[in-house]
Amino acid sequence: MRKPIIAGNWKMYKTMDEAVAFVEALAGKLKESDKAETVICPPAPYLATLVEKSEGLPIRIGAQTMHEEAEGAFTGEISPAMLKSIGVEFVVIGHSERRQYFNETDESVNRKVKSAFEHQLTPIVCVGETLEQRESNATSAIVSEQVKKAFAGVSETDAASAIVAYEPVWAIGTGRTATAEDANEVCGQIRAVLTELYSDSVAQAIRIQYGGSVKPGNIEELLSMSDIDGALVGGASLDPESFAALAEAGANA
């Protein structure tokens, strides 16, 4: 059985005080459970503080992005070594907003995935199609290609511990969401590609999240699907009450 993982991507929201207050509020709502993992991915300036504030709580901390190099003259960037040194455990790689606004490519995603593993960070690898690609029936081809390129040269051992997040670009922050059946179909296709790249046992070990306007009202149906192992959540992760409801659904899946 794959352990469900609910991860909140805060994007560029919250002040430091609001971030700390969120963790304190969430701590009182989350139940200790070994049936699911709960991850918060706050803005970079808050990472070290939230690692400290979440110590002893069923909350783990992830970064929203990172540079592929361990160090160097890359003004404004954050390295995997830096993340590891402050206790960060996860890192989101290749989110559609990073691809759209910051020119990330399938090739740079691949380099970052490899670097994350080299620094003992668990990558949450994002893939997904645009509305135009979906309407032209290219979803399977686009997502399959993104998965193949993201995992190129990644060993079976590393791949088995990776997380893939299927996030249809047209459903992120729009209020639109794929039906649970449609989301599961694409997640199943992702697992089939991973089976082709590695083996059935490795593909069955990799957790695949769905992301795209996930809310307390649709999380249970999504998690009931055969190939959906959690959620990468945007807006609904900004409120401790709604995020706690998502985490509870993960623990009960």
Side-chain angles (χ1 to χ4, degrees), residues 62-101:
Q64 296 178 19
T65 187
M66 67 173 205
H67 197 277
E68 65 211 51
E69 298 291 342
E71 60 182 17
F74 303 105
T75 300
E77 289 290 338
I78 301 167
S79 77
M82 293 172 183
L83 296 178
K84 185 65 178 177
S85 72
I86 60 172
V88 169
E89 298 180 66
F90 297 83
V91 58
V92 179
I93 295 177
H95 191 280
S96 65
E97 290 160 0
R98 298 294 310 176
R99 295 176 189 253
Q100 180 179 356
Y101 302 127

Side-chain angles (χ1 to χ4, degrees), residues 190-250:
I190 291 170
R191 207 174 302 283
V193 172
L194 292 167
T195 300
E196 183 183 319
L197 292 176
Y198 299 106
S199 66
D200 182 63
S201 61
V202 170
Q204 291 300 325
I206 295 172
R207 291 178 290 178
I208 303 175
Q209 298 174 306
Y210 172 73
S213 298
V214 176
K215 300 177 177 65
N218 61 19
I219 185 67
E220 290 185 10
E221 183 181 14
L222 288 165
L223 291 179
S224 71
M225 298 290 110
S226 60
D227 284 295
I228 299 178
D229 307 311
L232 182 58
V233 187
S237 71
L238 296 172
D239 175 71
E241 190 164 328
S242 68
F243 191 62
L246 296 171
E248 184 175 355

Side-chain angles (χ1 to χ4, degrees), residues 22-204:
F22 178 99
V23 171
E24 291 173 347
L26 188 63
K29 300 177 185 297
L30 277 187
K31 299 174 183 175
E32 190 76 46
S33 173
D34 59 359
K35 296 181 180 178
E37 285 183 302
T38 303
V39 180
I40 296 171
C41 301
Y46 313 153
L47 286 167
T49 298
L50 295 197
V51 166
E52 181 183 340
K53 294 291 183 182
S54 63
E55 189 172 349
L57 300 175
I59 303 168
R60 302 169 80 177
I61 303 300
Q64 296 178 19
T65 187
M66 67 173 205
H67 197 277
E68 65 211 51
E69 298 291 342
E71 60 182 17
F74 303 105
T75 300
E77 289 290 338
I78 301 167
S79 77
M82 293 172 183
L83 296 178
K84 185 65 178 177
S85 72
I86 60 172
V88 169
E89 298 180 66
F90 297 83
V91 58
V92 179
I93 295 177
H95 191 280
S96 65
E97 290 160 0
R98 298 294 310 176
R99 295 176 189 253
Q100 180 179 356
Y101 302 127
F102 301 100
N103 304 314
E104 293 201 6
T105 64
D106 290 335
E107 290 71 26
S108 66
V109 166
N110 176 244
R111 292 193 296 269
K112 290 184 179 190
V113 168
K114 292 176 179 175
S115 183
F117 282 124
E118 287 170 8
H119 292 86
Q120 294 80 52
L121 296 167
T122 299
I124 299 175
V125 187
C126 297
V127 298
E129 82 283 14
T130 64
L131 181 59
E132 182 181 5
Q133 290 165 339
R134 185 172 189 83
E135 290 180 339
S136 62
N137 296 315
T139 295
S140 180
I142 293 295
V143 172
S144 295
E145 187 70 6
Q146 289 175 338
V147 172
K148 289 176 182 177
K149 288 185 174 179
F151 283 87
V154 175
S155 72
E156 284 199 0
T157 302
D158 285 341
S161 64
I163 297 162
V164 177
Y166 167 53
E167 292 204 313
V169 180
W170 50 270
I172 299 172
T174 63
R176 299 178 62 177
T177 185
T179 66
E181 290 77 13
D182 284 346
N184 191 60
E185 180 180 359
V186 179
C187 290
Q189 291 170 354
I190 291 170
R191 207 174 302 283
V193 172
L194 292 167
T195 300
E196 183 183 319
L197 292 176
Y198 299 106
S199 66
D200 182 63
S201 61
V202 170
Q204 291 300 325

